[in-house]
Amino acid sequence: MKRIALLGMPNTGKSTLFNRLSGASARVGNWPGITVDLMSAKILLGGHIAELIDLPGLYDLHGFSDDEQVVRHFLSNHTVDLVMIVLNSSQIDRQLSLALQIKQLGLPTLLLLNMQDEAKRAGITIDTVAMAAQLGFPVQTISAKYGDGCPQALQAAALVLNTPVSTIPSPAHVAQLLEVDTQIEQTMHNIVKHAVQMPTQLNDETTDRIDRVLLHPWLGLPLFFLAMFLLFQFIFTAGKPLQDGMAWLLELFRTTALEPLFASLPAWLNGLLLDGIYNGIGTVAAFVPIIVLFFLVMSMVEDSGYLSRAAFLMDTLMAKMGLDGRGFVMVLMGFGCNVPALMGTRVMRSRPMRLLTMLVIPLSLCSARLQVFLFMIATLFAASQAAYIMFALYMVSFFTIFLTAILFKHQYKSTEPFILELPPYRFPTPRQIWLRGWQEVKHFLSRATKFIIIGVVLVWLLTHYPTNVAPASSATWAGQIGQLFAPVLNPIGIDTQLAIALIFGFVAKEIVVGSLAVIYGLQGDALSQQIAMNIDWVQGMSFMLFTLIYTPCLSTIATMKSESKSSGFMWLSIVWSLALAWLISFIFYQGARALGL
């Protein structure tokens, strides 16, 4: 099987091209000797079954960031039949150095100049024939976003694969060459001089006009938070009918199909299947439409280039807390999932900066917590209040992040400079939005399926044994566990049932809502009504605050240990998040009760 390495600088559209070439066949795999997950996909190219590996974005093959070391390690330890380099056509004068560094390795190479549409608008013309002649390998202009030039690029790649070569440099030889410095800058200057025509001033008036408003020193941040609030308002308004429809379908399926089908089963098995597994999974499934909508909207925001502006706006504030704008981007990434956000800190060369960023990322309101809040908000608050409550939870998330950074910044001091490139504004295509949203939803569903089934079965067992007591009562195993934690949780308004859900939330937050469905033996509106009868909004808000802040899922903890290479740091994160969660919930709950709420 042929092996193709896809690499390029950050923000050059490499992932967009990978998604276009791989479609839905992409998978995540851990390569031997590399402690990170790389995306790979099998594609048919030039009569060969080829494996396309998406390597991390990097600026310099000779740099020292973790991502740069991953790429060097891969090229030094694996035979590569073709390197496909993706660069931004509109920034070719700054990015061509990476192609020249790859040229020095002697590997079969194809250079893809992406974003040709933006280069054309900027008045940049590139003579690909002249550039290819000087580089010694094919050059093709493409637009991965719209698919322009991609078929021709695949034909060029197939031609390279099928062209006989005397020898492909061995990984050992590549490793040796990577240690040799080269006269890259002068060569790059000569190629750009003879093959690229650039206007005196690049034309990007639209981006400049938008940035004058969105990057305004006084209006920038308020506009960012207003935009986030409006997004939440839209997601709740558009998602609520979809959620209600999904809940109705699930209830209808239970009453008309499952209950008659399982009626002849023993009572314990009937209860496990319906009140345990189906209620648990069904309650979570009812929120999938809103989760899908959330990811689709956020994918548009991320791909538009706006989040880079948010990082720029937040850099001054983050610097006062020992972080920088990249940390803010990782925090925003953590709103989807904490795990890739933690892995994304590899771009930071300063270990103290990286550790401080990793310490605050688990406080981001991730998608797993999101479904818990969607359920509790729908249960305890009116629809008109929903967006305000969710926005408040996001603000609390930011508050805990800032507080943690301020308290620990002296322990993790860093002097690494912050460099950020602001890409032009781009509106993603419907295909990009769908692929990005589907990848996030698929990740959510795979985690939910894996953890929820195991979790709800365990919760059902704990709430139904011993068999000679009332289900979910204080005499069950679950009740006894809840009573054990009562002295700690009662002061923050969390009862036995909520305590059991929190305990299973240590494994994965996706289990929390499913656990409640199993504990109460109900789902849908019946579950919401029962919870609303058992707790008031103050208890519910305290529960959400604790869920927001306390120890993240096992996947996040494992990733933190792997990325920090320190068990002590991992335990610091766990203990700190638990203590902070209890303290904030205590202040809120006791304060609200003192005010008579």
Side-chain angles (χ1 to χ4, degrees):
M1 182 186 298
K2 299 292 185 179
R3 180 176 295 148
I4 302 173
L6 184 66
L7 60 84
M9 291 191 178
N11 297 318
T12 57
K14 180 171 62 69
S15 295
T16 302
L17 178 63
F18 179 81
N19 289 335
R20 181 170 289 280
L21 297 180
S22 66
S25 65
R27 65 178 178 83
V28 176
N30 192 290
W31 281 79
I34 300 179
T35 58
V36 297
D37 289 334
L38 301 177
M39 293 294 292
S40 67
K42 290 183 175 63
I43 61 174
L44 183 62
L45 188 62
H48 303 282
I49 297 295
E51 184 164 25
L52 181 66
I53 299 99
D54 186 17
L55 296 172
L58 77 164
Y59 290 103
D60 187 349
L61 200 58
H62 301 296
F64 297 97
S65 73
D66 284 0
D67 281 346
E68 289 159 345
Q69 292 181 45
V70 165
V71 174
R72 283 205 307 275
H73 191 287
F74 184 90
L75 296 177
S76 301
N77 290 275
H78 300 88
T79 301
V80 175
D81 299 287
L82 173 63
V83 177
M84 295 173 66
I85 309 170
V86 183
L87 302 181
N88 185 341
S89 297
S90 62
Q91 299 172 355
I92 188 63
D93 56 326
R94 285 176 282 164
Q95 298 195 0
L96 194 58
S97 59
L98 182 61
L100 291 170
Q101 290 176 350
I102 296 297
K103 178 184 177 181
Q104 296 292 323
L105 304 181
L107 294 168
T109 304
L110 170 64
L111 175 58
L112 301 177
L113 302 179
N114 194 21
M115 303 178 186
Q116 63 173 358
D117 50 318
E118 293 183 8
K120 185 177 180 181
R121 285 197 300 270
I124 299 173
T125 58
I126 300 176
D127 186 342
T128 56
V129 175
M131 183 175 288
Q134 295 193 57
L135 285 172
F137 48 73
V139 179
Q140 177 75 41
T141 58
I142 65 169
S143 173
K145 178 178 179 179
Y146 298 106
D148 298 339
C150 289
Q152 293 85 347
L154 287 175
Q155 291 174 9
L159 185 61
V160 175
L161 278 181
N162 289 322
T163 299
V165 293
S166 55
T167 56
I168 293 179
S170 67
H173 181 63
V174 171
Q176 185 179 11
L177 290 173
L178 283 172
E179 298 300 324
V180 180
D181 203 359
T182 61
Q183 300 297 323
I184 294 293
E185 186 174 354
Q186 184 59 45
T187 307
M188 181 178 70
H189 174 75
N190 291 334
I191 293 176
V192 171
K193 180 179 178 180
H194 291 95
V196 181
Q197 293 183 5
M198 304 184 71
T200 305
Q201 183 174 359
L202 294 182
N203 179 22
D204 207 350
E205 295 179 0
T206 302
T207 293
D208 291 340
R209 284 200 299 269
I210 296 174
D211 279 344
R212 277 196 288 271
V213 177
L214 296 185
L215 295 183
H216 191 278
W218 295 105
L219 297 178
L221 278 179
L223 285 174
F224 170 72
F225 288 114
L226 175 62
M228 291 296 102
F229 171 75
L230 292 177
L231 286 178
F232 298 143
Q233 186 71 54
F234 168 76
I235 290 168
F236 274 104
T237 303
K240 190 63 168 67
L242 298 174
Q243 176 195 337
D244 292 342
M246 179 67 78
W248 178 79
L249 287 174
L250 291 167
E251 180 63 28
L252 181 66
F253 181 68
R254 171 176 172 140
T255 55
T256 59
L258 295 184
E259 289 183 356
L261 180 65
F262 297 154
S264 60
L265 295 176
W268 70 268
L269 184 57
N270 182 291
L272 173 61
L273 294 175
L274 290 178
D275 298 330
I277 296 175
Y278 186 76
N279 274 7
I281 295 176
T283 301
V284 175
F287 291 93
V288 168
I290 293 185
I291 298 292
V292 172
L293 189 60
F294 173 82
F295 281 127
L296 290 177
V297 171
M298 289 307 295
S299 69
M300 285 189 286
V301 176
E302 290 180 19
D303 291 342
S304 69
Y306 185 42
L307 289 189
S308 295
R309 270 76 183 175
F312 174 78
L313 288 168
M314 292 295 295
D315 183 56
T316 302
L317 177 60
M318 300 294 277
K320 295 178 180 178
M321 295 177 285
L323 297 170
D324 63 17
R326 288 169 303 182
F328 186 69
V329 171
M330 299 307 155
V331 166
L332 293 179
M333 187 187 297
F335 287 154
C337 180
N338 293 166
V339 172
L342 288 169
M343 296 173 67
T345 60
R346 294 175 186 146
V347 299
M348 300 175 177
R349 299 179 181 181
S350 166
R351 178 170 172 79
M353 173 75 75
R354 198 176 171 207
L355 290 177
L356 185 58
T357 306
M358 284 196 286
L359 189 62
V360 303
I361 284 173
L363 299 170
S364 301
L365 197 162
C366 66
S367 60
R369 295 177 174 114
L370 177 65
Q371 58 140 320
V372 179
F373 302 149
L374 291 174
F375 173 77
M376 295 300 293
I377 290 172
T379 298
L380 300 171
F381 297 93
S384 59
Q385 300 171 313
Y388 294 96
I389 300 300
M390 181 58 72
F391 185 71
L393 288 169
Y394 273 92
M395 291 302 99
V396 172
S397 178
F398 280 122
F399 169 76
T400 59
I401 288 167
F402 297 159
L403 176 63
T404 300
I406 291 171
L407 292 177
F408 287 91
K409 71 176 182 178
H410 296 296
Q411 186 175 346
Y412 300 105
K413 289 183 178 180
S414 173
T415 57
E416 182 184 0
F418 172 53
I419 301 174
L420 178 70
E421 187 170 301
L422 297 182
Y425 288 101
R426 309 180 182 106
F427 191 80
T429 64
R431 185 177 185 276
Q432 283 179 292
I433 296 170
W434 169 251
L435 279 177
R436 178 66 183 275
W438 168 242
Q439 287 175 352
E440 296 286 1
V441 170
K442 185 169 66 171
H443 173 72
F444 167 77
L445 291 177
S446 90
R447 278 176 49 82
T449 303
K450 179 170 59 177
F451 288 120
I452 286 176
I453 293 179
I454 297 174
V456 296
V457 169
L458 290 176
V459 172
W460 189 88
L461 291 173
L462 290 175
T463 54
H464 285 75
Y465 282 86
T467 56
N468 58 345
V469 300
S473 68
S474 59
T476 60
W477 292 342
Q480 295 171 29
I481 294 173
Q483 292 297 322
L484 181 66
F485 287 95
V488 177
L489 297 179
N490 282 347
I492 59 175
I494 294 179
D495 62 17
T496 302
Q497 288 83 1
L498 295 179
I500 296 301
L502 284 177
I503 291 170
F504 279 90
F506 276 99
V507 178
K509 298 299 181 288
E510 291 92 343
I511 299 178
V512 172
V513 175
S515 298
L516 292 173
V518 175
I519 291 168
Y520 287 101
L522 301 167
Q523 72 174 95
D525 291 338
L527 175 62
S528 297
Q529 292 170 8
Q530 185 62 48
I531 291 178
M533 290 173 57
N534 284 17
I535 64 173
D536 59 19
W537 75 269
V538 176
Q539 290 174 283
M541 195 69 193
S542 180
F543 173 75
M544 287 191 287
L545 288 172
F546 195 89
T547 302
L548 168 66
I549 305 167
Y550 89 114
T551 307
C553 65
L554 286 180
S555 297
T556 300
I557 293 172
T559 302
M560 179 170 292
K561 182 179 184 300
S562 172
E563 294 295 318
S564 67
K565 298 178 176 61
S566 170
S567 298
F569 182 80
M570 177 195 73
W571 282 109
L572 170 66
S573 174
I574 293 172
V575 173
W576 168 248
S577 62
L578 275 171
L580 186 61
W582 189 89
L583 180 62
I584 289 181
S585 295
F586 178 82
I587 292 172
F588 171 81
Y589 182 75
Q590 295 298 333
R593 291 306 189 215
L595 294 173
L597 299 177

